[in-house]
Amino acid sequence: GTDDRVTPFVAARVDSGVKRLASRARIDDFESRQRAHAASAQSHEGRCAMSADDRDEDFNAIVEAEEDAVDRSVHPSGIVPVLQNIVATVNLDCKLDLKTIAFHARNVEYNPKRFAAAIMRIRNPKTTALIFSSGKMVCTGAKTEALAREAARKYAKVIIKLGFPAQFKDFKIQNMVGSCDVQFPIRLEGLAWQHGHFAQYEPELFPGLIYRMQMPKIVLLIFVSGKIVLTGGKRREDIYQAFENIYPVLTEFKKLAQPDEGAATPALPQPKSKGK
């Protein structure tokens, strides 16, 4: 009878001890998480305590390193326009049945009611081709001249595998599009006024200034933010030369920061309330 009474008592004591241990473990885990959170917050405060001068020095060091890597003999401004798109044409020198191509090739769209060419795409290099029944082909989307030629050859191989006697003739780059950022705002109104023979600026129709350079024959889209788009070149060198020609003009029309810019607007006096 005694053993029957002791056993529930011991079980109750053991269960109570287990609960206390579990509670203590949860408290210790909570405290450890709190300490880790405090240490993380302190570290974050230390990183945020870096002065603005230190951040500016780091940024200037990065910019100087990038500028040092630029060939100043070719790019005196220190800025290199990046090619964004190359348009090339090639003659496959045979008649093509676009319906056959659309039915048997992958990633091809063909709707003769909307457009007279079949649209074919490949992933590497990521490009799009317009294929016409006359055998002419237009390839767009490549970032370099070599990739444009490689993509055109891949499209030609697909046509050959479908049984057409295609050849690869008269490959030619028709247009290059490049872009860059001069890192300062530009007074487009003054630029349009001083260079009216070459510049067209109608902000109600288009936010950018259109500058038609004659030598080399390049069209530039100039935005107030300092972003520049160059198009119309058939050679990479034409894009580079056009930017170097326009860069001194852009610096001449650099928009200067207003001395009171960012200052707090003084509060207007509150009207006196009428007595009831």
Side-chain angles (χ1 to χ4, degrees):
T2 304
D3 294 340
D4 293 340
R5 290 194 299 272
V6 170
T7 300
F9 176 75
V10 173
R13 293 293 299 270
V14 170
D15 184 56
S16 176
V18 170
K19 288 181 179 179
R20 285 198 300 273
L21 291 174
S23 176
R24 186 65 215 173
R26 286 196 297 270
I27 293 173
D28 292 341
D29 181 61
F30 175 77
E31 291 178 350
S32 64
R33 287 202 303 269
Q34 288 291 94
R35 288 193 297 269
H37 179 71
S40 177
Q42 185 178 4
S43 175
H44 178 70
E45 291 177 358
R47 290 194 300 270
C48 292
M50 179 185 295
S51 66
D53 294 338
D54 294 337
R55 289 194 295 270
D56 291 341
E57 289 178 1
D58 292 343
F59 176 77
N60 293 334
I62 294 172
V63 172
E64 290 175 0
E66 291 179 349
E67 290 181 351
D68 291 340
V70 176
D71 186 356
R72 292 292 184 144
S73 63
V74 181
H75 309 283
S77 64
I79 301 173
V80 183
V82 178
L83 295 183
Q84 302 293 344
N85 184 28
I86 295 177
V87 180
T89 58
V90 66
N91 184 10
L92 301 178
D93 199 25
C94 69
K95 296 295 182 179
L96 301 175
D97 184 355
L98 300 184
K99 288 185 179 179
T100 301
I101 295 174
F103 285 143
H104 295 88
R106 295 180 179 179
N107 301 319
V108 178
E109 300 175 14
Y110 179 52
N111 188 347
K113 293 182 179 179
R114 296 183 59 186
F115 190 54
I119 304 173
M120 184 182 295
R121 294 180 175 88
I122 59 176
R123 294 182 178 177
N124 188 23
K126 189 176 181 181
T127 53
T128 301
L130 307 179
I131 305 172
F132 295 86
S133 59
S134 62
K136 300 295 177 62
M137 184 172 65
V138 180
C139 181
T140 67
K143 303 288 187 181
T144 67
E145 300 90 330
L147 290 178
R149 181 179 290 272
E150 178 186 349
R153 287 194 177 277
K154 285 188 175 183
Y155 289 118
K157 287 181 180 179
V158 172
I159 301 300
I160 292 172
K161 287 182 179 180
L162 294 177
F164 296 96
Q167 300 184 36
F168 193 83
K169 290 185 176 181
D170 305 327
F171 175 84
K172 185 178 181 181
I173 292 176
Q174 301 290 349
N175 186 27
M176 287 186 173
V177 180
S179 65
C180 58
D181 189 352
V182 297
Q183 300 291 333
F184 57 78
I186 302 168
R187 293 185 292 111
L188 298 183
E189 295 84 357
L191 176 56
W193 178 263
Q194 292 288 336
H195 296 258
H197 293 293
F198 310 105
Q200 176 184 352
Y201 181 50
E202 298 180 12
E204 297 86 0
L205 301 178
F206 183 67
L209 181 145
I210 303 172
Y211 194 100
R212 303 182 187 277
M213 189 173 293
Q214 298 300 313
M215 188 61 68
K217 197 169 183 179
I218 299 291
V219 177
L220 299 94
L221 306 179
I222 304 171
F223 297 89
V224 67
S225 62
K227 300 286 196 307
I228 313 294
V229 177
L230 306 97
T231 183
K234 297 183 184 297
R235 300 184 309 139
R236 180 187 295 259
E237 292 76 13
D238 293 340
I239 299 291
Y240 293 162
Q241 186 59 50
F243 177 73
E244 294 301 332
N245 291 349
I246 200 68
Y247 186 74
V249 178
L250 300 180
T251 57
E252 180 183 352
F253 291 95
K254 179 178 179 180
K255 184 183 292 186
L256 301 177
Q258 298 297 329
D260 58 345
E261 187 174 353
T265 304
L268 296 176
Q270 297 294 330
K272 295 181 180 180
S273 59
K274 297 180 180 180
K276 294 184 180 179

